[in-house]
């Protein structure tokens, strides 16, 4: 098996989504989304969205 870098996702190449958690009543910590960069691509109903974390720690979601 290769290194754990196989699990890293590139912002330019969306990967199939996997559930991040099993309990919908528990919030997801944003640090778990931004492990390798300050942006994440989200696919929702056939559209791509970009969630970015700013230098001030704010979140921006764009289509």
């Amino acid at each position: 098996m290769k290194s754990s870098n196989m699990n890293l996702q590139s912002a330019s190449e969306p990967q199939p989504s996997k559930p991040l958690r099993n309990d919908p009543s528990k919030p997801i910590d944003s640090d778990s989304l931004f492990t390798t960069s300050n942006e994440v691509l989200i696919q929702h109903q056939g559209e791509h969205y970009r969630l970015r974390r700013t230098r001030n720690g704010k979140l921006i979601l764009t289509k």
Side-chain angles (χ1 to χ4, degrees):
M1 183 179 240
K2 295 184 180 181
S3 70
S4 62
N5 288 341
M6 290 175 58
N7 294 331
L8 301 179
Q9 294 182 4
S10 168
S12 63
E13 298 178 19
Q15 301 294 319
S17 61
K18 294 181 183 177
L20 295 175
R21 59 195 168 113
N22 292 328
D23 185 354
S25 66
K26 293 183 180 179
I28 298 172
D29 186 75
S30 63
D31 288 335
S32 68
L33 296 173
F34 301 107
T35 57
T36 60
S37 71
N38 283 324
E39 65 180 42
V40 176
L41 287 180
I42 300 170
Q43 184 173 342
H44 177 69
Q45 296 181 349
E47 300 286 332
H48 286 128
Y49 295 82
R50 186 177 311 270
L51 181 63
R52 294 187 298 131
R53 179 171 51 182
T54 68
R55 286 181 282 200
N56 294 328
K58 307 290 184 185
L59 297 177
I60 300 173
L61 180 65
T62 55
K63 187 170 182 182

